[in-house]
Structure formats: structure tokens, C-alpha cells
Amino acid sequence: MDVDRATVPGQGTVHHLLTRSGARFALVAGSDGSKHVLVYDRVRDEPVQSIALEPDEADQFAELLHSAPIPDRVARLERLMDQLTGERSRS
């Protein structure tokens, strides 16, 4: 995926994303903490839809996009820490 990031002075940051299949969308992270997902069609440069996300919705959406849920990642980190501390105590 190609990602192009731009700062909009006084407004926030916009991340334009282009998938391998040619789908275009953007994430606007406002300086006030707001989040919007902009959906584009393949022809026009103006978004065809803007989806405003509340903070908890943005968190849920981000969690869904992770390749592994947070509890799974935490459990993996705990296992790695146990392995590291076990190796240190044997030395």
C-alpha cells in the first residue's frame, strides 16, 4: 500500500492511502483529536464519502485492523519476557 502523509496547518494530518488494487481512501487526524475516513472513487479527486469516527470508534476500528488482537500481542510479549528472564536467571 502506498501512503502519502501531509500536514494541513491548523487542521491536522491527512494520510492518503492507495491499495495495490487501486482503491483510494484517506484518514484525517484532526489537531482537535477528531478522526475522519474519506472514501474516494477511482475517477474523482474529491471524496465520495466522509465517515466521522468518535474516539472509541477509532480505537475499535484500529484494533480490527491489527493482524493480531491486543490480548494476543500482550500474551506473546509476556511469553517473550518469560523466556528472556528465564535465560538471564540461568546465566
Side-chain angles (χ1 to χ4, degrees):
M1 178 169 0
D2 291 327
V3 180
D4 180 33
R5 178 178 180 233
T7 301
V8 182
Q11 300 297 312
T13 304
V14 61
H15 304 266
H16 290 277
L17 302 106
L18 177 65
T19 67
R20 287 185 193 107
S21 67
R24 296 183 312 139
F25 60 102
L27 171 64
V28 179
S31 54
D32 61 356
S34 63
K35 303 284 190 292
H36 288 80
V37 176
L38 306 177
V39 181
Y40 296 86
D41 66 18
R42 294 182 187 263
V43 180
R44 297 187 305 170
D45 283 335
E46 293 182 23
V48 294
Q49 188 171 9
S50 175
I51 304 166
L53 299 174
E54 296 292 326
D56 63 317
E57 295 172 324
D59 290 343
Q60 288 175 333
F61 186 54
E63 176 62 23
L64 290 172
L65 292 175
H66 283 290
S67 58
I70 288 176
D72 292 350
R73 288 184 281 154
V74 169
R76 180 177 175 270
L77 289 173
E78 288 173 340
R79 284 192 303 276
L80 290 171
M81 288 299 297
D82 287 344
Q83 289 173 355
L84 288 173
T85 56
E87 288 176 13
R88 288 185 187 151
S89 63
R90 288 185 217 131
S91 301

